[in-house]
Amino acid sequence: MGLSALFRRKPHERAGFELYGRAVTAARDPWFFGTLGVPDSLDGRFDLVGLHVALLIRRLRKDPDKRGAVLAQAVFDAMFADMDINLREMGVSDLAVGRRVRAMWEAFHGRAQAYEAAVEAGDAAALAAALQRNVWRAEGAASPAAGLLAARALQVAAALAEQPLAALLRGEVRFPAPEVSADAA
């Protein structure tokens, strides 16, 4: 391997970072923290970013074109590169960063599996229950806010399914704006 291989970008790396950045922007919508009462904390923000990224990765992995799966991996890699950087910027020691990122990866993986199973089944109640456990750290019946977040996640999944892979490969994705209803206000 030559020296130039060290500086070569992975396939779809730039698009992966672009898509991840758009997911983060969508997850930062004030509607989540105001109307739904998602905790505006590291955990709350991580959960919303994780939800949006999980839905995006699901869309990419489901594409029959093999590039979809490669791009899904690039989005995942971008997310955890960002998590590593953020932990370091928050002052987490170099020795602890690896453990913290691994714990975040495990949390994301478990959540993504639960969300994907519910989305695949079209089961808004199961999705709301998973969101209740993960976002609000509460057991029992899903709150109205968890139900609204589940409806939002299903809306996002449907919108992502309609977007062509060609646009996603260019790093272009549209997350619909949250719909504010009279019930939610």
Side-chain angles (χ1 to χ4, degrees):
M1 171 177 14
L3 185 60
S4 65
L6 294 173
F7 300 103
R8 195 173 309 140
R9 289 187 175 262
K10 296 177 185 173
H12 309 297
E13 182 178 16
R14 181 179 299 268
F17 273 96
E18 289 291 326
L19 294 174
Y20 169 70
R22 300 265 169 83
V24 170
T25 299
R28 288 184 175 163
D29 192 292
W31 180 80
F32 297 112
F33 306 102
T35 302
L36 296 186
V38 170
D40 191 6
S41 63
L42 289 174
D43 287 340
R45 290 189 297 271
F46 174 77
D47 284 320
L48 289 175
V49 169
L51 174 61
H52 285 79
V53 170
L55 294 169
L56 179 58
I57 286 174
R58 175 187 167 273
R59 157 57 184 100
L60 293 167
R61 282 189 17 249
K62 289 182 65 69
D63 200 286
D65 188 317
K66 292 178 186 175
R67 295 176 296 171
V70 175
L71 185 52
Q73 183 64 52
V75 171
F76 177 86
D77 292 346
M79 178 179 180
F80 284 93
D82 184 52
M83 295 298 151
D84 183 285
I85 291 167
N86 283 315
L87 287 171
R88 291 175 192 281
E89 287 178 350
M90 290 186 309
V92 175
S93 73
D94 287 342
L95 295 175
V97 166
R99 284 191 310 271
R100 297 277 299 271
V101 169
R102 180 175 174 83
M104 294 169 91
W105 178 89
E106 289 171 353
F108 172 77
H109 184 67
R111 287 165 170 78
Q113 285 183 317
Y115 302 156
E116 183 169 352
V119 170
E120 289 295 320
D123 190 343
L127 184 54
L131 291 165
Q132 179 78 21
R133 279 190 314 275
N134 295 316
V135 176
W136 286 276
R137 310 294 194 267
E139 294 296 329
S143 67
L148 287 171
L149 185 54
R152 163 73 179 154
L154 292 171
Q155 174 195 26
V156 168
L160 290 172
E162 295 175 3
Q163 296 180 41
L165 182 62
L168 296 168
L169 288 166
R170 291 189 305 269
E172 299 168 6
V173 65
R174 291 176 322 281
F175 287 91
E179 295 177 11
V180 179
S181 69
D183 297 334

